[in-house]
C-alpha cells in the first residue's frame, strides 16, 4: 500500500512518472539466527518497477505486488554486500573507497519501511517510552526518500533533506498528500 501510494503521489503531485523506486531490504533474514547484536544498519536495496504511474490505486497495487514478489524471490539485493566484502578484503582501503563510490550509488528516489519498533525491547531503565520513530537517510535535492516506522500501532512517515524553505514546503505538501492518499485508498478513515 505504501509503495503504490508513493508512486501515485509522485505522479499526481509532482508530475513525476518515475517507473522504479529503490526499496531498502533488511538483510537480517539472510543471517543464521535472523538477528544482529545491537543497533546496526544491515540493509541493501531492491528495485520495484511499474509500467505505468497513472493507473488506479488497485492497478498500481497489483503492479507493485507483482514486482516485489519477483524481487523478494531472488538474492540480487546481496550483490552489493558481496562487492563490498571482496573490495575491502582484497584491495587497499583507498582504492576500495574510490571503486565503491563509483560503482554503488544511492538511488535518487527511495522508500524505506524501517518497520516495527518493539516497545517491549525499547527500554530505558524504569522509563516508559510513549512514542518513537527512526528516520531514514539524509538526502540532497533532487534526491528523495520516505522512511516508515511503526511504534505501538502508530505509523510515522519521515524524510530528511538538505533543502531550501521552498523545498521544505514542497516536502510537507508531499507528505500530507501521501498520507491522504493512504488514508483514502486504504479506507482507514
Amino acid at each position: 500500500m505504501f509503495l503504490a501510494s508513493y508512486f501515485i503521489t509522485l505522479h499526481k503531485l509532482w508530475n513525476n512518472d518515475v517507473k522504479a523506486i529503490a526499496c531498502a531490504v533488511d538483510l537480517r533474514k539472510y543471517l543464521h539466527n535472523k538477528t544482529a547484536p545491537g543497533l546496526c544498519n544491515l540493509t541493501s536495496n531492491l528495485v520495484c518497477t511499474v509500467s505505468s504511474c497513472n493507473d488506479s490505486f488497485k492497478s498500481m497495487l497489483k503492479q507493485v505486488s507483482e514486482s516485489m514478489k519477483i524481487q523478494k524471490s531472488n538474492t540480487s539485493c546481496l550483490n552489493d554486500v558481496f562487492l563490498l566484502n571482496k573490495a575491502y578484503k582484497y584491495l587497499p582501503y583507498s582504492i576500495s573507497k574510490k571503486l565503491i563510490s563509483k560503482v554503488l550509488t544511492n538511488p535518487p528516489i527511495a522508500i524505506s519501511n524501517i518497520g516495527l519498533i518493539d516497545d517491549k525491547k525499547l527500554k530505558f531503565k524504569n522509563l516508559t517510552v510513549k512514542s518513537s520513530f527512526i528516520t531514514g537517510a539524509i538526502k540532497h535535492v533532487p534526491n528523495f526518500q520516505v522512511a516508515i516506522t511503526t511504534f505501538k500501532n502508530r505509523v510515522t512517515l519521515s524524510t530528511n533533506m538538505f533543502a531550501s524553505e521552498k523545498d521544505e514546503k514542497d516536502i510537507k505538501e508531499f507528505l500530507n498528500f501521501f498520507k491522504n492518499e493512504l488514508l483514502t485508498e486504504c479506507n482507514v478513515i
Side-chain angles (χ1 to χ4, degrees):
M1 293 184 305
F2 287 107
L3 202 44
S5 293
Y6 196 32
F7 275 111
I8 290 169
T9 302
L10 285 167
H11 175 73
K12 285 183 179 177
L13 190 63
W14 288 348
N15 200 26
N16 187 328
D17 283 331
V18 65
K19 301 286 191 300
I21 295 178
C23 310
V25 59
D26 186 356
L27 298 178
R28 287 172 182 82
K29 70 181 182 178
Y30 299 104
L31 296 175
H32 177 64
N33 61 359
K34 306 215 183 305
T35 186
L39 185 61
C40 63
N41 184 2
L42 284 174
T43 61
S44 184
N45 286 317
L46 52 81
V47 179
C48 179
T49 57
V50 296
S51 59
S52 174
C53 293
N54 59 359
D55 293 341
S56 68
F57 180 80
K58 187 176 179 179
S59 172
M60 183 61 67
L61 196 56
K62 184 177 182 203
Q63 288 185 69
V64 166
S65 177
E66 289 169 358
S67 177
M68 294 302 283
K69 280 179 189 170
I70 292 167
Q71 289 289 316
K72 290 179 177 183
S73 69
N74 66 52
T75 57
S76 62
C77 62
L78 295 174
N79 293 344
D80 295 350
V81 177
F82 293 133
L83 176 64
L84 288 168
N85 183 32
K86 296 297 182 202
Y88 285 110
K89 185 174 183 179
Y90 296 112
L91 299 173
Y93 177 79
S94 60
I95 294 172
S96 295
K97 186 175 178 183
K98 286 179 187 175
L99 174 69
I100 297 302
S101 69
K102 288 180 182 177
V103 175
L104 300 179
T105 58
N106 282 320
I109 297 178
I111 192 166
S112 179
N113 184 357
I114 296 169
L116 297 171
I117 301 170
D118 189 341
D119 62 316
K120 291 167 184 48
K121 291 183 180 177
L122 189 62
K123 299 287 182 185
F124 299 97
K125 293 194 179 188
N126 60 351
L127 299 175
T128 302
V129 179
K130 293 183 179 179
S131 68
S132 178
F133 65 95
I134 301 170
T135 64
I138 298 173
K139 300 289 185 178
H140 293 266
V141 172
N143 296 349
F144 190 71
Q145 178 190 49
V146 171
I148 307 161
T149 52
T150 305
F151 182 75
K152 294 185 176 180
N153 294 321
R154 184 180 180 122
V155 175
T156 300
L157 304 174
S158 66
T159 187
N160 297 301
M161 302 286 292
F162 287 108
S164 67
E165 285 183 24
K166 183 196 179 309
D167 294 327
E168 184 179 346
K169 182 181 173 225
D170 291 344
I171 291 163
K172 285 180 181 175
E173 182 182 19
F174 178 91
L175 289 172
N176 283 326
F177 193 98
F178 184 43
K179 179 183 85 171
N180 290 334
E181 181 73 25
L182 281 166
L183 293 174
T184 302
E185 295 298 343
C186 301
N187 298 318
V188 177
I189 298 177

